[in-house]
Structures are given as C-alpha cells and as structure tokens.
Amino acid sequence: MSALRIGVLLPEVLGTYADGGNALVLAERARRRGIDARIEYVGVGDAIPDDLDIYTLGGGEDAAQELAVETFTADSGLKRAVEAGRPLLAICASLQILGHWYTDARNRKVSGLGLLDLTTLPQGKRSIGELVVQPEIEGLSEPLTGFENHGGGSRLGPLARPLGRVLFGNGNSTLPADRQGAEGDAQQSRAIDGAVQGSIIATYLHGPVLARNPQLADLLLERACGHELEPLEIPGVDELRKERLGATISRLDRDGR
C-alpha cells in the first residue's frame, strides 16, 4: 500500500494532554513493521481531508470543545471519513463532542456532532487518577491503562457500546443492568469507560493511551491496513505496562474488583 496517512486533527485546541502522541505511536509501530507512515496535522482553518487512513482526536477545555464542534460542523470531512468506515480514535473531550450534546462548566447544553450515540453531563466531582479498563470489544484482550482527568460523565445510548469495564478508577458512567447482556448481573449496574460505534473508538484514557496500550494501537493499524499484523516487540513497553498496572494491582486485590 502507499504511505499510511495518520491524521491529528486540531492539535492546537485538542492537544491539552499530549494526546497527539498517539499518532507518533501509530507511525512508529507501522514503520517498525516496514510500513511507510506519515503524520498529517490538520489545524483550525485547514480543510479536513476525508481520505486519511486513521484519525486521532485529543482532549481540551470547554472553549476548545466549542471551537472543535464549530470546525467539524462547518467542514464535513471528518463526518464523511467516519461514514466511510475510516478508523477514528477520540480521547476525553473529543468523545464528548462526538456525541449528541454535552453540558459545559457553565451548565450550557452544547450540541455535538452526533457521530456517537451518547450525551455528557457533569459528574458532580472531577475524576482524576489512574484508570484501568478490561476491554470488551473484539481484538482486545489485555487490560487498558491510562490517566483520567474529566468532570463529565457520558451516558451511552443503544447504538453505542462501552470500550470496556472499569477495574480501577471511575470511567465515564455506569451501564444499566438491562444492557449488560446475558452474562450481566441483573441486580446491579457496572462502571464503564469509553464508547465504540462503527469505526470510532473513544475513551477517557490519557497517557497517551496508545503508548501505554500497544494492543489498541495495533488494532487501529490493522483496521487501517485491512489485515493482521505480525507481533512487534519493543524494549521497554512491557516494563511500562507492568509498572502502571503494578501501581493499581494491590488496590484491585484489596477492593476485590
């Protein structure tokens, strides 16, 4: 294939938490497999291409979210890309703006893009700290780790499903028992993180999330390339995951979660 094109959209407003590093991880893991890859930065005022191979969106504050919504509403490039099934990774604030609407810090209801079947309301208190998630989508088996920092909680509608179940931390919301499937406990809800719908994978995990979770990075690459990739061992990655999981494992054992 020609060079893999990895997009970072609106990095000047959706780049507060270094989520632009996700594109760097994707490009490096592709190159180490002999796949030519390049990163394309699409800023405010630039035309948004609808033919990139992977799209990445990061986090930002209220003003940044509003500007992002305005930009993506005026230019339908991202919407066309999603409708065409091109992989999109959305982090934190970007998850919120992809939904139907969100409520900002001033309690204003702001319309989103409607690409994810979810809405976001204030949680009442801010979630800050390590987050560990057991993924529940095909292609992922290893726990996902990251750092959450958000005041909103996103409620999923029937068209979206969670990225996974929270093992440690808060995540975005709880999933009602009647949406847990045949294996769910009919008596209680459970904490979840993220939202998955069509070609979109969205999460509250920072880190950058792909640096901490190479299996997720490779899933996005495989979707873009259209085939499975050979395993890739990079020194230091396993040690990083062990260190981050080790920071929560004792608490997980103590709480019985």
Side-chain angles (χ1 to χ4, degrees):
M1 64 180 295
S2 57
L4 190 73
R5 300 166 64 204
I6 302 165
V8 180
L9 304 191
L10 313 190
E12 65 269 58
V13 294
L14 295 177
T16 303
Y17 304 102
D19 296 308
N22 288 317
L24 297 174
V25 173
L26 289 168
E28 183 61 21
R29 293 187 70 84
R31 291 166 184 157
R32 291 195 181 207
R33 291 182 168 97
I35 301 170
D36 186 19
R38 70 171 185 262
I39 299 173
E40 298 188 14
Y41 295 92
V42 182
V44 176
D46 295 338
I48 301 174
D50 61 8
D51 60 349
L52 300 179
D53 296 296
I54 304 176
Y55 292 77
T56 66
L57 298 173
E61 296 81 14
D62 281 355
Q65 286 180 266
E66 283 195 59
L67 179 56
V69 170
E70 292 173 2
T71 300
F72 294 137
T73 300
D75 186 327
S76 62
L78 179 62
K79 181 179 180 181
R80 295 195 304 272
V82 171
E83 290 174 345
R86 298 187 180 273
L88 165 61
L89 175 68
I91 308 297
C92 198
S94 295
L95 176 155
Q96 297 177 9
I97 68 173
L98 291 178
H100 299 301
W101 53 264
Y102 65 91
T103 302
D104 66 13
R106 289 180 286 178
N107 204 34
R108 296 182 306 158
K109 186 175 177 179
V110 182
S111 295
L113 302 176
L115 297 177
L116 284 174
D117 186 15
L118 60 82
T119 57
T120 302
L121 292 163
Q123 297 181 116
K125 63 178 182 179
R126 197 163 191 85
S127 296
I128 303 176
E130 286 293 308
L131 177 62
V132 181
V133 177
Q134 181 59 47
E136 297 180 336
I137 66 171
E138 186 176 357
L140 297 178
S141 57
E142 300 173 352
L144 301 170
T145 76
F147 189 87
E148 62 179 335
N149 183 1
H150 57 99
S154 298
R155 300 175 180 177
L156 275 57
L159 298 181
R161 64 189 191 278
L163 174 60
R165 174 173 60 92
V166 171
L167 300 177
F168 185 89
N170 293 317
N172 36 292
S173 65
T174 57
L175 189 69
D178 61 4
R179 286 201 57 198
Q180 293 185 31
E183 298 180 359
D185 185 339
Q187 302 302 315
Q188 63 182 2
S189 301
R190 60 185 174 86
I192 60 169
D193 175 69
V196 177
Q197 185 174 336
S199 64
I200 301 173
I201 295 178
T203 178
Y204 277 97
L205 291 163
H206 297 286
V209 63
L210 299 187
R212 294 175 60 156
N213 302 282
Q215 191 180 62
L216 177 56
D218 286 349
L219 176 63
L220 290 165
L221 288 172
E222 288 178 348
R223 289 184 175 184
C225 294
H227 59 79
E228 292 187 7
L229 300 175
E230 292 296 321
L232 180 65
E233 298 295 331
I234 298 179
V237 172
D238 286 343
E239 287 75 9
L240 171 64
R241 285 186 53 76
K242 289 178 182 178
E243 191 276 331
R244 289 292 82 202
L245 285 170
T248 58
I249 193 66
S250 60
R251 175 73 177 273
L252 287 171
D253 290 342
R254 185 170 69 250
D255 292 351
R257 297 176 66 185

